[in-house]
Amino acid sequence: MTKLMQWLLGASLLGTVWALVTFDLLELSLPRVYREIAWPMPLYLLVTFGCYSLATVGFRVATFNDCDEAARELQEQITEAKEDLRKKGLKL
Amino acid sequence: MASRKSSQPKRESRDKYSVLLPTYNERENLPLIVWLLLKYFGEGGYDYEIIIIDDGSPDGTLEVAEQLQKIYGKDKIVLRPREKKLGLGTAYIHGMKHATGNFIIIMDADLSHHPKFIPEFIEKQKEGGYDLVSGTRYQGNGGVYGWDLRRKLISRGANFLTQVLLRPGASDLTGSFRLYKKNVLESLVERCVSKGYVFQMEMIVRARQLNYTIGEVPISFVDRVYGESKLGGNEIVSFVRGLLTLFATT
């Protein structure tokens, strides 16, 4: 099953449950409060997920390591390598 | 032609690592990356070879590669040039054809990937018997050098989106510093059709699909001044297109 199918399956399952509760399709005569909670639920989920995404990406950007030490080490090794290669007879 | 030693006589024979280095206009960097590779392979006492696949660089990369071969020997430096610039996937296939190692390491020749991590890759592989070990900029001590805020934001955003959509089981999908078992790389390369960034992503996604095991090693990615960074609108569009293709097909 492709990822697209998994998502569609998940979305349609959730959608079905949501529609059942919101419009009381099975005539379970659920308490009113259930319906009132259920109908804006997709929007809540979307906003929650959006906030989670922004917070996660923001945090990860802020904590993305800057490898200054690695760059310095590389620079030193480049100098060393150039000298050694020249001694070994490499002509550039 | 270098005489090749008897190819893997028995199971107890030592592991050998073939590094595939596709190059295009890397005249400056090639000697340096080769020097560093020799340094770390030598210190670790590993059996290895470096296969340089130059795609007809006009700057004379091949000529430099030939000099390096003279200095270090034909058993260590193997040249597999091609006429002109062709895809990365075909470069791997081309290089692997003559690889004598049972493991293949792929990396960029522009010094953004440091050979000092290779011993860590090898140890990681041995530790878990992984089918592939991928370098990751996004975990542990991994990171980047020389990226501005915009670049970091795009990178993290794209990575987050990919993780959500594909759940690939690896944290760095677009990186190209990896170690593969040879047969694993062969089977992956022949399945992958994407280009550019998406190619590396597809390799990992297909690996997961085929139930190959993946190990990860944090790496530092050093973007240097004279490698002009290539992340424009075009790249982003083709990345998104590739992501959606993988989303719908894997």
Side-chain angles (χ1 to χ4, degrees), chain A residues 2-4 6-7 49 52-53 56-57 60-61 64-68 70-71 73-74 77-78 80-82 84-85 88-92, chain B residues 27 31 35-36 39-40 67 71-72 111 114 116 137-138 140-145 152-153 156 160 164-167 220 224 247-248 250:
Chain A
T2 66
K3 286 288 183 287
L4 177 63
Q6 289 178 12
W7 276 76
F49 179 70
Y52 167 74
S53 303
T56 307
V57 171
R60 288 178 180 171
V61 169
F64 213 160
N65 281 338
D66 279 310
C67 306
D68 297 324
E73 182 195 13
L74 178 62
Q77 288 180 324
I78 287 173
E80 193 188 342
K82 277 184 176 160
D84 187 49
L85 285 161
K88 289 194 165 80
L90 184 83
K91 284 184 284 290
L92 277 173
Chain B
R27 181 191 175 84
W35 189 86
L36 286 167
K39 173 180 160 75
Y40 288 96
Q67 285 193 51
I71 294 171
Y72 292 116
L111 295 175
H114 198 297
K116 71 182 172 190
R137 296 161 288 181
Y138 302 117
N141 293 323
V144 293
Y145 173 81
K152 284 183 175 176
L153 185 63
R156 283 299 203 182
F160 179 78
V164 169
L165 291 181
L166 301 180
R167 279 172 285 127
S220 53
R224 281 156 71 253
F247 181 60
T250 64

Side-chain angles (χ1 to χ4, degrees), chain B residues 35-210:
Chain B
W35 189 86
L36 286 167
L37 281 165
L38 267 95
K39 173 180 160 75
Y40 288 96
F41 273 121
E43 284 173 6
Y46 299 110
D47 200 5
Y48 66 96
E49 66 186 350
I50 301 166
I51 301 176
I52 299 167
I53 305 139
D54 185 61
D55 279 1
S57 305
D59 76 340
T61 304
L62 185 58
E63 187 261 326
V64 172
E66 280 161 358
Q67 285 193 51
L68 290 166
Q69 193 181 44
K70 272 206 199 89
I71 294 171
Y72 292 116
K74 285 186 172 170
D75 55 330
K76 294 279 175 268
I77 312 285
V78 182
L79 305 184
R80 297 278 166 244
R82 302 192 294 180
E83 288 290 301
K84 59 176 168 45
K85 209 166 184 208
L86 300 160
L88 202 52
T90 59
Y92 294 150
I93 293 170
H94 182 76
M96 258 191 298
K97 246 185 253 163
H98 301 91
T100 58
N102 52 337
F103 288 97
I104 308 279
I105 292 165
I106 60 169
M107 65 191 299
D108 293 347
D110 64 0
L111 295 175
S112 55
H113 296 148
H114 198 297
K116 71 182 172 190
F117 295 109
I118 289 177
E120 291 179 38
F121 279 51
I122 293 173
E123 291 316 310
K124 186 80 191 178
Q125 194 284 325
K126 285 191 202 294
E127 185 187 304
Y130 297 108
D131 293 314
L132 82 93
V133 175
S134 173
T136 175
R137 296 161 288 181
Y138 302 117
Q139 282 191 341
N141 293 323
V144 293
Y145 173 81
W147 281 15
D148 58 9
L149 195 62
R150 174 182 168 273
R151 184 88 197 257
K152 284 183 175 176
L153 185 63
I154 292 173
S155 175
R156 283 299 203 182
N159 187 262
F160 179 78
L161 186 64
T162 312
Q163 295 292 342
V164 169
L165 291 181
L166 301 180
R167 279 172 285 127
S171 60
D172 194 339
L173 304 170
T174 48
S176 51
F177 192 2
R178 294 180 186 154
L179 178 152
Y180 294 86
K181 285 179 180 167
K182 190 182 182 193
N183 62 322
V184 169
L185 182 58
E186 276 166 347
S187 85
L188 285 174
V189 158
E190 74 185 24
R191 283 182 172 80
C192 291
V193 291
S194 314
K195 300 263 179 297
Y197 284 104
V198 184
F199 178 78
Q200 305 297 349
M201 190 155 89
E202 186 176 3
M203 297 276 275
I204 285 270
V205 171
R206 301 255 178 234
R208 177 45 45 123
Q209 207 180 15
L210 296 167

